[in-house]
Amino acid sequence: IVESGLDIPAANTMIIHRADMFGLAQLYQLRGRIGRSKTRAYAYLTVPPARVLSTAAEKRLEVMQTLDTLGAGFMLASHDLDIRGAGNLLGEEQSGHIREVGIELYQQMLEEAVAASRAGAKNVADESNWSPQLNLGMEVLIPETYVADLGVRLALYRRAAALDDRAELDALGAELIDRFGKLPPEVDNLLKTVALKLLCRTANIEKIDVGPKGALIALRKNEFPNPMGLVNYVAKPDSDLRLRPDQKLVFSRDWRDDNDQLEIVTALIGDIALLATQPAGAVPPAPKPVVKTAVNGKFRHPGRA
């Protein structure tokens, strides 16, 4: 009854006994029953002094200490999803999608999808517009210190995302150097990442996850234009690439630094992309160990010396 909305404006103190036994939403709603007038209110959450709390209970109580600002309801829901989990109802990482696009845009996208489903429309993505997902663990951005105007930065991001071939990327890199000066490392990484995405599209690679000991490569729909050529390439005695039973490629390597990581991965994907364009069974030459993709405004083809 109290949690559902009991309102006593004069009450300014609440003691919740055994707060570790309540859910996060319950604690938040109970706390909201006091402090409903201009009088300062206090909520005391008590726990047994000699009892070891569960990990989830500790997280709930820690979250309650931080939710003290306006608009904390969405944060509460996000923390609750993190603690309890939310299954896979709306996507691979339900709460993560909301954080990435914002709750308003997420709701709009969800409403459009539901409306299309009710109308009997098939929500089929355009096969020509898919974009590889790269998790490289490095800064890839246009810093404010390089391009001060926010509108110009956003326009450059849109241009980079819409690039379809290497010539357009070369032109964008040369333009950035001409307009704003020498490329900072973050922008150089951005251009290299775009180049890597173009190679991924050629090689039908959907996702690359890079870690401290190598990289995990996932093919889109587990398909490759030249499957026998890829098998032969993986089977080479000097290859650091192997194929897992789930059709993902594992590349084993200890990186020296982020640049070494990006250059070697780009060289590898460049060879796989070249293999994808060749007749079935063809094997490309061994990858070159170092790739420079931006020198004085001139961009060299990833994967080639």
Side-chain angles (χ1 to χ4, degrees):
I1 295 174
V2 174
E3 179 190 343
S4 298
L6 182 64
D7 188 7
I8 306 177
N12 72 334
T13 301
M14 174 178 286
I15 301 173
I16 302 178
H17 180 58
R18 291 300 306 273
D20 56 307
M21 301 296 292
F22 289 82
L24 185 57
Q26 289 178 310
L27 292 174
Y28 188 73
Q29 291 293 335
L30 286 170
R31 190 181 67 174
R33 295 307 100 205
I34 58 171
R36 305 182 67 80
S37 66
K38 296 181 180 180
T39 305
R40 183 178 181 85
Y42 303 86
Y44 296 95
L45 310 183
T46 68
V47 295
R51 183 184 294 270
V52 178
L53 302 181
S54 66
T55 302
E58 288 184 356
K59 288 183 178 180
R60 290 195 297 267
L61 296 177
E62 288 174 1
V63 169
M64 285 301 299
Q65 296 180 61
T66 61
L67 297 178
D68 56 359
T69 59
L70 293 176
F74 176 66
M75 292 303 299
L76 171 82
S78 298
H79 285 298
D80 196 35
L81 284 170
D82 290 337
I83 294 172
R84 297 189 300 113
N88 195 32
L89 181 61
L90 300 178
E92 181 178 89
E93 296 175 352
Q94 185 179 26
S95 60
H97 293 320
I98 301 176
R99 286 198 188 98
E100 289 176 2
V101 302
I103 187 169
E104 292 184 2
L105 179 56
Y106 183 85
Q107 289 177 335
Q108 178 184 342
M109 295 167 62
L110 185 59
E111 289 176 359
E112 292 175 353
V114 171
S117 178
R118 288 176 175 173
K122 294 183 179 180
N123 186 17
V124 179
D126 188 349
E127 292 292 318
S128 63
N129 290 332
W130 68 277
S131 178
Q133 181 180 348
L134 305 180
N135 299 319
L136 304 177
M138 63 175 60
E139 290 188 336
V140 179
L141 58 106
I142 303 175
E144 185 178 354
T145 54
Y146 186 64
V147 180
D149 187 89
L150 175 61
V152 175
R153 289 203 307 275
L154 293 177
L156 291 172
Y157 280 128
R158 285 194 294 268
R159 286 181 57 187
L163 293 177
D164 290 327
D165 57 54
R166 187 70 195 190
E168 294 178 356
L169 179 60
D170 292 345
L172 178 60
E175 179 184 338
L176 288 174
I177 294 175
D178 183 59
R179 292 176 61 185
F180 306 105
K182 181 181 178 181
L183 300 177
E186 301 90 343
V187 180
D188 192 35
N189 289 341
L190 173 64
L191 297 179
K192 291 177 180 179
T193 301
V194 174
L196 181 56
K197 281 195 171 186
L198 295 176
L199 292 174
C200 287
R201 287 175 60 88
T202 302
N204 199 46
I205 292 175
E206 184 177 46
K207 185 177 182 181
I208 300 178
D209 291 301
V210 177
K213 296 296 182 181
L216 183 65
I217 302 169
L219 297 174
R220 187 166 183 260
K221 298 181 180 179
N222 291 333
E223 297 176 355
F224 189 73
N226 182 9
M228 288 305 302
L230 181 60
V231 170
N232 293 333
Y233 182 67
V234 172
K236 290 166 56 179
D238 59 344
S239 175
D240 293 325
L241 200 64
R242 61 184 178 87
L243 184 63
R244 295 197 323 193
D246 61 358
Q247 306 302 314
K248 288 184 171 58
L249 296 167
V250 178
F251 180 69
S252 301
R253 180 64 61 94
D254 290 323
W255 318 109
R256 293 191 303 268
D257 51 41
D258 288 346
N259 288 331
D260 176 67
Q261 163 187 305
L262 182 57
E263 289 172 356
I264 292 178
V265 170
T266 301
L268 173 68
I269 303 305
D271 280 341
I272 297 176
L274 180 61
L275 183 61
T277 61
Q278 293 182 345
V283 178
K288 303 300 186 295
V290 178
V291 179
K292 297 295 183 182
T293 57
V295 179
N296 297 327
K298 301 298 183 181
F299 288 77
R300 300 169 68 180
H301 194 287
R304 299 188 181 182

